[in-house]
Amino acid sequence: MNNKPSLYTRWAPSSDTPLFTPWSVLLLLLAIGALAVAAGKFIFGMHAVDNLSNDWPWGIWVSFNVMAGVALSAGGFVTAGIVYIFRIKRYWPVIRPAVFTAFIGYVIAGAGIAIDIGRTPRIVHPLWMWQPESVMFEVAVCMTIYTTVLFFEFSPLIAERFRLRRTLKFLHAIMIPLIILGITLSFMHQSSLGAVHLIMPHLMYPLWYSEWMGHMFFVSAMALGLCVVIIESTISSKIFKKGLRIDLLGGLGKAAAWILLAYLLFRFWDLNTTGRLDSFTLDNTFGWLFTVEIGLMTLAMILLFIKGVRRSAGWLFTASMFVLIAVVLNRLTTDLIAMAPSRTTAYVPAWTELLFSIGLVAGAMFVFRVVAKYLPLFEGRGYGLSGEEEKASFSSTAETETA
């Protein structure tokens, strides 16, 4: 007899966390600020809200919201592949928050690029005005379809909440093809975001250019996606008073360590064989940026290989944050800062650009809070545990908070 709980559970109120707190109100105000910036763009024009120019056609909205935002959302396809494709079902408790985090991450990326282009309504043109020789066309189409796929992967929560049995049965029936489609699309556009820069070897500082940029973007996104799941689970366990499955998060951390090892070996092999490593020096800003980026990745990898670190919620969270900072720095440098030597003018983001980017993230965090409160986002977190073990998981969280 199988005593394991069902993968799909009926929703029941499980969180007494209030929707509005000083912190969540701040998030909401920042999100309203982002909407005000968007409204300013439509009313007064692009240059009223940004410092972009012909010399700097891409700014922080593309580098952070799109390049970094898509990488931060990689946890969705990685955990979906672990649970549905490799059938490692003990990781089921992390998949729903991971998929929803990925969904709102792609919405942020879409909003960022929609505001960044001059004529926002024309963002849908790639859907019927095909330009198959353009990498950006592939990115646009893949991201659009994948965001739709993520919505369907997330939609069983809505069906469970409102007890739509037939809809839930249909969604379960199509889930595996959706997951396979989602992984395929993720491989294509995660790597294509790196491949976009292949036409710019003369514009970029050598330490960040590589003919293998597409592969490196994909591999580093996988490591970051796993670490984002760890970070999101740790924070959620505090805010929503949910048990922290350190046994599962430690496994994800170990997988991230191996991926980081492969990435670092791959990157240094490429830099060494192409001679680009010779451009490294601590006499300029780029050398220090490279040192910080690689240093954080290496330190995180070493920490995540240590069993004691993987059994400590605090250390696991810290190591994951190192990976997050390093990969986000990589995207910002690759897409923006490394271009500086080839520009004739300087670019400093306007305060409205910063407010829009921060406001989008804040809005996503507020939406996550709403969904976590009213939908069964964390149901099934005790999957694979006995009743006593699940109860102990809650107890450990309470002890941590008390301490």
Side-chain angles (χ1 to χ4, degrees):
M1 181 178 178
N2 184 9
N3 293 322
K4 286 186 176 181
S6 169
L7 284 176
Y8 298 95
T9 55
R10 181 176 295 178
W11 179 83
S14 59
S15 175
D16 296 327
T17 304
L19 183 59
F20 292 103
T21 64
W23 172 246
S24 64
V25 170
L26 175 61
L27 295 178
L28 199 53
L29 290 174
L30 288 170
I32 293 172
L35 291 176
V37 173
K41 181 253 184 178
F42 289 116
I43 296 172
F44 302 109
M46 284 286 292
H47 294 306
V49 295
D50 67 39
N51 282 340
L52 298 178
S53 63
N54 289 335
D55 201 30
W56 288 93
W58 284 1
I60 195 169
W61 289 347
V62 171
S63 304
F64 179 74
N65 294 13
V66 180
M67 296 291 175
V70 170
L72 287 164
S73 305
F77 85 86
V78 176
T79 54
I82 291 173
V83 174
Y84 287 102
I85 304 303
F86 294 104
R87 309 294 290 176
I88 308 176
K89 292 186 176 180
R90 68 189 185 94
Y91 286 101
W92 171 259
V94 301
I95 192 170
R96 287 186 168 189
V99 168
F100 182 67
T101 302
F103 174 67
I104 55 178
Y106 276 84
V107 171
I108 286 177
I113 197 68
I115 295 300
D116 185 77
I117 61 175
R119 299 181 178 181
T120 298
R122 295 190 177 185
I123 194 171
V124 295
H125 277 191
L127 296 181
W128 62 81
M129 299 173 70
W130 287 24
Q131 185 58 261
E133 295 182 357
S134 168
V135 176
M136 290 303 292
F137 166 75
E138 180 192 332
V139 171
V141 172
C142 282
M143 285 182 61
T144 303
I145 299 175
Y146 185 54
T147 305
T148 307
V149 168
L150 282 171
F151 174 76
F152 280 105
E153 291 179 13
F154 156 71
S155 56
L157 278 71
I158 303 173
E160 287 183 31
R161 170 64 179 84
F162 297 101
R163 302 182 181 181
L164 306 174
R165 296 179 183 278
R166 291 184 178 179
T167 303
L168 188 59
K169 186 177 181 181
F170 169 75
L171 290 170
H172 289 176
I174 66 171
M175 193 56 68
I176 295 299
L178 277 177
I179 296 296
I180 295 173
L181 176 61
I183 293 173
T184 304
L185 291 168
S186 295
F187 175 78
M188 293 173 67
H189 70 260
Q190 290 279 3
S191 57
S192 293
L193 284 174
V196 164
H197 304 87
L198 290 178
I199 61 174
M200 313 176 191
H202 56 294
L203 297 178
M204 298 177 62
Y205 195 80
L207 288 175
W208 283 272
Y209 181 81
S210 168
E211 295 178 355
W212 299 94
M213 290 181 73
H215 298 75
M216 291 184 182
F217 263 49
F218 179 73
V219 174
S220 58
M222 288 178 64
L224 177 58
L226 292 171
C227 291
V228 168
V229 173
I230 294 171
I231 293 168
E232 172 269 315
S233 298
T234 306
I235 295 175
S236 296
S237 73
K238 297 287 186 183
I239 295 177
F240 301 104
K241 299 179 175 57
K242 303 296 183 184
L244 184 62
R245 293 290 303 273
I246 196 69
D247 56 324
L248 302 182
L249 301 188
L252 296 179
K254 187 176 182 179
W258 281 107
I259 295 172
L260 285 172
L261 176 61
Y263 172 82
L264 290 168
L265 291 174
F266 187 20
R267 188 164 176 186
F268 274 98
W269 168 81
D270 178 66
L271 286 170
N272 187 51
T273 54
T274 58
R276 295 191 180 93
L277 194 57
D278 296 339
S279 60
F280 173 77
T281 173
L282 290 178
D283 292 335
N284 61 30
T285 304
F286 299 103
W288 283 105
L289 284 171
F290 184 80
T291 302
V292 172
E293 177 191 324
I294 298 300
L296 284 174
M297 280 193 187
T298 305
L299 180 58
M301 178 194 70
I302 294 171
L303 288 173
L304 291 172
F305 269 127
I306 300 173
K307 185 180 292 185
V309 169
R310 298 200 304 273
R311 291 179 175 176
S312 165
W315 277 108
L316 198 53
F317 179 84
T318 302
S320 299
M321 284 299 299
F322 287 165
V323 177
L324 185 150
I325 295 170
V327 178
V328 170
L329 180 61
N330 171 268
R331 298 303 192 264
L332 290 175
T333 309
T334 301
D335 193 65
L336 195 64
I337 303 172
M339 305 285 184
S342 61
R343 307 302 188 193
T344 57
T345 60
Y347 164 73
V348 178
W351 68 270
T352 43
E353 290 179 80
L354 297 174
L355 176 59
F356 182 74
S357 294
I358 295 172
L360 282 183
V361 175
M365 293 172 71
F366 184 80
V367 171
F368 188 95
R369 189 182 187 93
V370 173
V371 169
K373 183 171 179 61
Y374 294 109
L375 291 180
L377 190 62
F378 299 111
E379 298 302 316
R381 62 191 180 283
Y383 180 79
L385 296 178
S386 65
E388 292 74 16
E389 288 172 328
E390 183 173 1
K391 187 177 179 180
S393 175
F394 280 94
S395 300
S396 63
T397 303
E399 290 169 1
T400 302
E401 289 174 349
T402 302

